[in-house]
Amino acid sequence: MSLVPAAIRTLPLGMLATLMAIVLFGLATLYSAAGGSISPWASNQGLRFVLLSGLMFALSRISVARWMDIAYPLYGVTLVLLLIVELFGKIGMGAQRWIDLGFIRLQPSEFMKIAVVLSLAKFFHRLPAIYVSTPSVLVAPIALFAVPAALVMLQPDLGTAMMISMASVLVIFLAGVGLRWFLTAGAALLAALPVAWSMLHDYQKNRVLVFMDPEGDPLGTGYHITQSKIAIGSGGLFGKGFLDGTQSHLAYLPEAHTDFIFATMAEEWGVMGGLFVVLTYGYLIRWGWRLGVAGDTIFTRLTACGLAFTIFLYVSINLAMVMGLAPVVGIPLPLMSYGGSAMMTVLILLGILMAIHRENVGGSRLNGTGSFAV
């Protein structure tokens, strides 16, 4: 008989230790970005993490079967909230993305990143395998992600719309939909690029043009990415030292505590600090993906892999953005960038992954059969 309580025995201790390492490193970077002060960023961020960690552990106690039951209602409520944003949303930095409740600003598009994965996983869990690639059947899963992605684009929020779409496409692919449909969709997307370009806002077009030629306007539209690359490059192998960064401390680097926090960190900690960040996030993503690979039902497999891929999208898009490998689309580095939206999303999805882990370890699993057809 084990002396360790079951609630402790089923915790993913490696994942939790890695999570703490990322958050603490982020708090140290925010402390430095504020000029060696715990306020306002590090203190607020630490408090958010404590509160949201409690939510993560609470959600981890919900059964996987229950998560499947609430997938569609959660999606429906989130879709309604997106519609409310269009009608009454709070405008900030040129975008209408929030519902202002007074004590908190709610960003429904963050919830949709989770709701769409759960809904697609439930859809394919219940769909007989012989119908997976049927054209008429594919209309429903495409609509499940295309409608919210279109609403998010109207806010406008290109980065979040991309994340919703890319995670959804991965779930559909893992569900076993034939490769020919993805090739056909890809060809149609390429043909529609001129139309999509004409629908972009001027600032979105400028971001793409700056990505292609950041030196063309280094003091204007290319300023963000130019300063970010200077900060990262000046860090060298081991960095300038904690609290010794110049780009962020002298206010050359815009958004040094939010979207470009990786550049702030890399200047002080260098390549070694960057490797630490990549490896720790890599561990989280690998942990979630392995839960999906080891799952014994379609729902758990698609949910775990879809949520793990969502973390991957956050990290990869942000790092590519700050290093000049992708246009600036306003995706933060979750758990490190200052702000509660991305942190809330990642801790909620980690809570769901912990629920899957708990039932796998405890031997209580959702009834169902099915396998990936990749």
Side-chain angles (χ1 to χ4, degrees):
M1 182 177 178
S2 175
L3 297 178
V4 181
I8 302 297
R9 195 168 58 248
T10 57
L11 287 176
L13 298 181
M15 184 280 287
L16 293 174
T18 304
L19 174 64
M20 283 299 302
I22 294 172
V23 172
L24 290 175
F25 197 32
L27 292 177
T29 305
L30 290 174
Y31 176 85
S32 177
S37 173
I38 195 172
S39 62
W41 302 323
S43 56
N44 290 343
Q45 188 82 337
L47 179 60
R48 286 194 190 101
F49 177 70
V50 171
L51 296 176
L52 291 173
S53 292
L55 176 63
M56 177 186 71
F57 282 107
L59 295 178
S60 73
R61 306 305 299 175
I62 298 176
S63 69
V64 177
R66 185 58 179 161
W67 279 115
M68 189 167 77
D69 289 340
I70 66 176
Y72 289 163
L74 177 63
Y75 176 91
V77 170
T78 308
L79 191 63
V80 170
L81 290 176
L82 284 177
L83 291 171
I84 292 176
V85 167
E86 286 303 309
L87 298 174
F88 310 106
K90 180 75 174 180
I91 297 176
M93 298 182 69
Q96 186 167 315
R97 303 174 184 172
W98 300 277
I99 299 173
D100 195 343
L101 301 179
F103 62 95
I104 189 174
R105 290 203 305 178
L106 194 63
Q107 191 170 350
S109 58
E110 289 293 327
F111 294 113
M112 185 54 75
K113 294 172 184 175
I114 298 172
V116 74
V117 170
L118 291 172
S119 297
L120 287 170
K122 179 176 181 177
F123 177 86
F124 285 108
H125 178 87
R126 292 186 168 181
L127 183 69
I130 59 173
Y131 298 119
V132 167
S133 290
T134 304
S136 58
V137 172
L138 291 177
V139 172
I142 291 173
L144 274 174
F145 79 84
V147 172
L151 289 174
V152 172
M153 276 291 294
L154 292 174
Q155 293 180 359
D157 188 351
L158 177 61
T160 299
M162 286 174 52
M163 287 187 63
I164 291 172
S165 300
M166 293 170 71
S168 299
V169 168
L170 177 84
V171 172
I172 294 172
F173 175 72
L174 293 179
V177 175
L179 185 59
R180 68 184 184 278
W181 295 111
F182 294 94
L183 296 177
T184 302
L189 185 62
L190 287 175
L193 281 180
V195 177
W197 175 261
S198 66
M199 295 175 64
L200 292 178
H201 293 260
D202 288 341
Y203 80 92
Q204 293 172 328
K205 293 179 180 179
N206 287 335
R207 287 178 175 179
V208 176
L209 294 174
V210 166
F211 162 67
M212 298 174 66
D213 183 22
E215 284 75 29
D217 187 14
L219 298 180
T221 54
Y223 184 78
H224 284 67
I225 191 61
T226 299
Q227 295 302 319
S228 177
K229 290 160 70 174
I230 290 173
I232 294 173
S234 65
L237 184 60
F238 297 104
K240 296 177 179 178
F242 185 53
L243 298 177
D244 290 332
T246 55
Q247 294 298 110
S248 57
H249 291 177
L250 298 178
Y252 286 110
L253 180 64
E255 307 297 334
H257 63 297
T258 53
D259 292 354
F260 288 86
I261 194 170
F262 182 83
T264 303
M265 179 282 304
E267 184 183 19
E268 297 188 354
W269 297 90
V271 172
M272 301 308 294
L275 284 175
F276 174 80
V277 169
V278 170
L279 291 175
T280 49
Y281 278 112
Y283 180 91
L284 287 185
I285 296 165
R286 177 176 176 269
W287 171 77
W289 188 267
R290 290 184 68 182
L291 284 177
V293 172
D296 66 347
T297 70
I298 291 177
F299 180 77
T300 54
R301 292 174 184 178
L302 295 181
T303 296
C305 288
L307 295 181
F309 188 64
T310 299
I311 302 177
F312 170 79
L313 289 174
Y314 265 119
V315 177
S316 60
I317 292 174
N318 179 270
L319 296 190
M321 180 182 75
V322 300
M323 291 188 286
L325 302 177
V328 176
V329 291
I331 297 296
L333 189 60
L335 306 173
M336 290 189 66
S337 291
Y338 181 75
S341 295
M343 176 179 283
M344 176 188 65
T345 302
V346 170
L347 291 180
I348 288 175
L349 71 82
L350 285 177
I352 299 172
L353 291 174
M354 285 175 66
I356 296 173
H357 172 86
R358 175 175 55 83
E359 295 199 0
N360 286 352
V361 172
S364 173
R365 303 190 180 200
L366 182 66
N367 292 327
T369 59
S371 59
F372 283 130
V374 179

